[in-house]
Amino acid sequence: MYKNSLSLLLFAIFLSCNTFNTVAQKKSKNGIKVEKSDHISVSPKLVVGIVVDQMRYDYLTRFWNHYEDDGFKRLVNGGFNCKNNHFNYAPTSTGPGHTSIYTGTTPATHGVIGNNWYDKETDQVVYCASDDSFNSVGTTTDAGKMSPHRMIVTTVTDQLRLHTQMRGKTIAIALKDRGAVLPGGHTANAAYWFHGMGEGNWITSTFYMNELPNWVNDFNTSNAVEEYEKPWTTLKDINTYLESGLDNNKYEGLFSGQSTPTFPHDLPSLWNTNNKYELIKASPYGNSITADFAIAALDGEKLGVDTITDFLAVSFSSTDYVGHKYGVNSKEIQDTYVRLDRDLARLFKALDKKVGENEYTVFLTADHAAIHVPAYLKDQRIPAGYVEAGSLMKKLSEFMKYKYGTTDLIKNISNYQLFLDHDVINNLDMQLGDVQEEIARELLNNKDIDRVYTARQMWQNEYTEGIPYILQKGYNQKRSGDILMVLKPGTISYSVTGSSHGSPQIYDTHVPLLFYGKGIRKGSTTSRTEIPDIAPTISVLLGIAFPNGATGTPITKVYK
Ligand SMILES: [Zn+2]
């Protein structure tokens, strides 16, 4: 189950030495001209990192026949497809996901242990990207008070900046602040995100600049966003969407004011009752706006115009909002991917034109996947369900009262972790490890909980496979909790409509990973790859230092 950590370290060093040899050999065997200063790297003018929020691997295969040749298929057919790519930690959520992709490591090392988490030092719940020491730029609200300060390591984007003496630019773009701030790293020239509500503008933080550049102001004052204030109809005839369930079903959520979750979704008539521009975020038009803005950034930020490599990090967030509302099997999710395929094609076409067809390198992945709606699975007689949190907490309180004479032992429960009050435990003269184990055993009596682990186990063991390995990679000694809970496969803590994510189960970990463009060969693999491999893979391609906490391994098969 676990190994001596020194031998593991030596093994890892041995493995990575071998990896580098393979890269160098493969390159010379293929007859690529080797220059002394550039013997194992290529210099695309631009690297484009694309993260699709909540994209399952099977969205590539399930909707394949609806994609055109110049979107997803362009990457799959002309690039390298890692078909067995996984998150190797939990919680599988957006903040940790984007951070792990760009840092080449996991929450155990980079410190972003959730979107939100309970901060033991300050006794407060914190948000992964918030930073009150900075101000908003482009909005009168607090939506711009962000920075990457809670991420304690560097990103591949930081390393590119350091490598190029800050001459290579990093621009990060997403509807969600965390989808832009974390990929941009500590040295981004800019991260831009979208503030919906009544404003509908791209904004940033004083962490990056004091005023929006002209091109962003121009975009905001144009009608580029308002153009999408229109009904959401399916792009193709809905009767051709045979790869998803019925349009009208009980597994889907509603916008406020709607009576059925069916097409067309009339955004203009729902506008005022659903926080205005927030509606666009929750439709595929949010992805279109993201593509529009990313294309505008190519000119606006002069990306990929010289020989010094720049980095554009783009994250498409609407896929997550749509998944949460309608679920994995909905017509809405199918249409969202059919439309994203078109938005990707537009982005690639703009890159061809502005940067040059063989002058850029792309990777595309996701920040986590998602579960089928458990209520739907249940109706198909597949074991699935929802946690009854109320009765779980009631039983736990009764246990603590009986066992310890107090119910004041729990500080916080978040991301399926329980944080104990260490002061109370000290005052009662109890051993922390013992209390962790006793409460963990009690929790295991609950019908929805499949496994429990304690912080003591996470500290003392070195897990190498399965669920405990995934939990340990997400376990940060300074930040994580005392007891880790894993729900039964198919069980979530969520509404009975829509899909969610966050677990270490395979339906939340399996996501696409595609590489395409300069330096990338055509092909595919079914060997397991893991999210932290992405940043080292890009680092080797560019010949730059790895992010300083990187634990992943370069995927050598992708190189030309
Ligand atoms: Zn989500």
Side-chain angles (χ1 to χ4, degrees), residues 53-54 94 176 320 324 368 501:
D53 205 314
Q54 205 190 107
T94 296
K176 292 184 184 177
D320 184 65
H324 277 292
H368 53 75
H501 51 86

Side-chain angles (χ1 to χ4, degrees), residues 251-273:
Y251 313 114
E252 301 183 5
L254 300 168
F255 285 119
S256 163
Q258 261 186 327
S259 53
T260 60
T262 49
F263 283 102
H265 297 282
D266 187 19
L267 305 191
S269 76
L270 298 164
W271 196 250
N272 287 325
T273 47

Side-chain angles (χ1 to χ4, degrees), residues 53-54 92-94 115 176 178 317 319-321 323-324 367-370 494 499-502:
D53 205 314
Q54 205 190 107
T92 39
S93 53
T94 296
N115 286 339
K176 292 184 184 177
R178 59 187 179 278
S317 314
T319 37
D320 184 65
Y321 297 117
H324 277 292
D367 58 344
H368 53 75
Y494 196 63
S499 288
S500 194
H501 51 86

Side-chain angles (χ1 to χ4, degrees), residues 160 457 477:
L160 181 60
Q457 285 178 295
Q477 288 194 339

Side-chain angles (χ1 to χ4, degrees), residues 250-558:
K250 60 181 179 179
Y251 313 114
E252 301 183 5
L254 300 168
F255 285 119
S256 163
Q258 261 186 327
S259 53
T260 60
T262 49
F263 283 102
H265 297 282
D266 187 19
L267 305 191
S269 76
L270 298 164
W271 196 250
N272 287 325
T273 47
N274 292 275
N275 291 321
K276 300 175 180 176
Y277 290 94
E278 295 299 303
L279 257 188
I280 291 186
K281 285 163 66 176
S283 80
Y285 302 146
N287 288 334
S288 301
I289 290 168
T290 307
D292 294 344
F293 190 71
I295 291 167
L298 295 178
D299 280 339
E301 301 286 351
K302 297 186 176 58
L303 294 174
V305 295
D306 57 25
T307 53
I308 302 167
T309 306
D310 296 324
F311 208 120
L312 173 64
V314 188
S315 180
F316 291 98
S317 314
S318 291
T319 37
D320 184 65
Y321 297 117
V322 174
H324 277 292
K325 186 175 278 298
Y326 301 102
V328 163
N329 207 44
S330 59
K331 291 270 183 267
E332 282 80 359
I333 209 77
Q334 176 158 9
D335 190 60
T336 298
Y337 279 89
V338 170
R339 285 177 177 276
L340 176 60
D341 185 59
R342 302 293 76 229
D343 287 323
L344 288 173
R346 282 198 299 126
L347 177 61
F348 300 149
K349 207 166 281 170
L351 287 164
D352 291 344
K353 202 175 143 210
K354 292 176 194 298
V355 182
E357 212 165 314
N358 291 307
E359 302 290 348
Y360 62 94
T361 307
V362 177
F363 71 81
L364 182 147
T365 188
D367 58 344
H368 53 75
I371 188 173
H372 259 283
V373 179
Y376 169 74
L377 292 178
K378 247 175 117 171
D379 287 348
Q380 312 308 315
R381 301 195 293 184
I382 291 169
Y386 299 89
V387 187
E388 291 158 31
S391 70
L392 190 154
M393 286 311 298
K394 191 166 167 267
K395 275 200 74 183
L396 185 58
S397 291
E398 282 166 9
F399 170 79
M400 289 188 296
K401 183 99 192 148
Y402 166 78
K403 181 91 185 170
Y404 309 111
T406 174
T407 56
D408 281 348
L409 285 176
I410 298 172
K411 273 275 191 191
N412 178 273
I413 303 176
S414 48
N415 301 306
Y416 301 109
Q417 294 186 9
L418 211 137
F419 292 77
L420 296 175
D421 190 325
H422 295 190
D423 292 338
V424 171
I425 290 167
N426 273 338
N427 291 342
L428 290 172
D429 219 15
M430 296 183 294
Q431 288 297 315
L432 178 61
D434 295 343
V435 178
Q436 286 172 350
E437 192 168 326
E438 285 160 5
I439 294 180
R441 281 180 191 281
E442 168 59 23
L443 286 166
L444 198 56
N445 290 328
N446 186 282
K447 69 173 178 53
D448 299 320
I449 295 179
D450 196 37
R451 299 154 183 255
V452 287
Y453 294 88
T454 64
R456 179 152 70 179
Q457 285 178 295
M458 291 291 131
W459 280 62
Q460 291 180 348
N461 299 329
E462 190 77 34
Y463 297 105
T464 57
E465 60 182 26
I467 297 277
Y469 162 78
I470 292 175
L471 294 180
Q472 191 164 47
K473 292 289 179 198
Y475 186 85
N476 186 286
Q477 288 194 339
K478 286 176 86 88
R479 293 182 177 177
S480 295
D482 291 284
I483 297 158
L484 298 84
M485 299 172 275
V486 181
L487 302 180
K488 275 203 297 215
T491 302
I492 58 173
S493 171
Y494 196 63
S495 62
V496 294
T497 56
S499 288
S500 194
H501 51 86
S503 83
Q505 309 289 359
I506 207 146
Y507 43 76
D508 281 343
T509 68
H510 190 196
V511 293
L513 175 57
L514 307 171
F515 291 92
Y516 173 87
K518 190 158 189 181
I520 304 298
R521 79 174 182 87
K522 282 187 202 176
S524 67
T525 181
T526 52
S527 301
R528 183 180 166 101
T529 55
E530 295 181 333
I531 285 293
D533 299 339
I534 298 171
T537 302
I538 295 295
S539 299
V540 167
L541 186 82
L542 300 179
I544 65 174
F546 287 17
N548 67 9
T551 50
T553 306
I555 307 164
T556 57
K557 288 173 188 164
V558 312

